[in-house]
Amino acid sequence: MARKLLNGAVSCLFGLTFASGTLLAQNRIQDFVRIAPSLDIAPYHQNAGTAKRIFSTIGPTASDAYNDTNGYCVTGTAQSSCGSSEQWIGVPFTPTRAAHATVLEAAIQYFAGTNTFQLSLYNDVSGAPGTALKTVEVSNAPAAGTCCTMSFANLGSPGVALTANTQYWVVANSDDSRAANFSGYWAFANAFIAYNPSQTGWITFDNSFPQEAVVVEGTFP
């Protein structure tokens, strides 16, 4: 059962900076939610089969893989349940060795609208998401306030080649052609993210909240 927002959609008031060589002061607001958790826990289980872990922020246990009560909104242009505008969220990771990413898992929690969104793997440009290397349509995200099911995106075989010690981004975004009314949030795990409000450009910042819960899996040479 989807849980209701406590006190509606809570806008976190952060002074942010735009990542573009010189830091420019911005008065941006990213939409954040805090909800009541469910008492029902479905332990996390790996969706990737024999794929190896490339990056992860989940844990410490399968039944405590992430914090389902808090997260940043992931929303489309026509939503009205989580904040006031469209918002995309990106989480950076840097593989320590060359790999092929075949699976993305993210703790996206569904709140309202059509339960369809996208998970993407982006390259990095100047410390922010650059170009999508692979995008996958995802449906049936778990209801808000439930742990610990992860939304799953299969990147195919052989996957997306990753260069060692190079930053990439896992991005959760709306599909505004199929599900512009999607409203959800990316649950926290453990403090550096990027977000794209109203498609005005990527903004990166160190935040005082935990990083979003995400897993990248694949194969190594």
Side-chain angles (χ1 to χ4, degrees):
M1 178 185 299
R3 300 299 187 213
K4 293 182 179 180
L5 291 175
L6 299 182
N7 300 319
V10 181
S11 294
C12 288
L13 304 178
F14 286 114
L16 304 179
T17 54
F18 188 72
S20 61
T22 301
L23 296 179
L24 304 177
Q26 303 285 318
N27 291 318
R28 304 283 186 173
I29 298 175
Q30 71 281 355
D31 294 313
F32 160 83
V33 297
R34 179 174 288 115
I35 67 162
S38 170
L39 297 178
D40 299 322
I41 296 177
Y44 165 78
H45 68 275
Q46 184 180 9
N47 290 300
T50 59
K52 304 298 184 182
R53 189 71 52 88
I54 297 172
F55 175 78
S56 173
T57 63
I58 66 169
T61 67
S63 59
D64 188 20
Y66 53 82
N67 181 354
D68 59 8
T69 65
N70 295 283
Y72 284 114
C73 299
V74 177
T75 52
T77 56
Q79 70 84 34
S80 59
S81 300
C82 191
S84 59
S85 62
E86 181 177 26
Q87 180 166 279
W88 299 6
I89 295 292
V91 176
F93 72 98
T94 301
T96 57
R97 53 190 287 203
H100 281 80
T102 59
V103 168
L104 304 177
E105 295 185 70
I108 306 298
Q109 305 265 290
Y110 168 73
F111 192 72
T114 302
N115 194 347
T116 297
F117 65 99
Q118 294 179 337
L119 282 177
S120 303
L121 181 61
Y122 276 65
N123 65 4
D124 180 275
V125 175
S126 300
T131 301
L133 305 175
K134 183 78 172 185
T135 297
V136 177
E137 197 86 354
V138 179
S139 298
N140 301 320
T146 58
C147 187
C148 298
T149 301
M150 304 279 281
S151 295
F152 174 84
N154 189 331
L155 304 182
S157 180
V160 178
L162 305 178
T163 303
N165 303 313
T166 299
Q167 182 162 279
Y168 298 89
W169 295 79
V170 178
V171 171
N173 59 274
S174 58
D175 181 344
D176 290 333
S177 64
R178 294 185 176 90
N181 64 347
F182 174 78
S183 178
Y185 65 95
W186 197 334
F188 290 150
N190 75 36
F192 182 72
I193 70 170
Y195 81 111
N196 192 348
S198 303
Q199 299 309 287
T200 57
W202 284 102
I203 297 168
T204 61
F205 62 98
D206 287 296
N207 66 330
S208 59
F209 290 98
Q211 190 176 29
E212 281 59 37
V214 62
V215 176
V216 179
E217 293 174 315
T219 59
F220 295 104

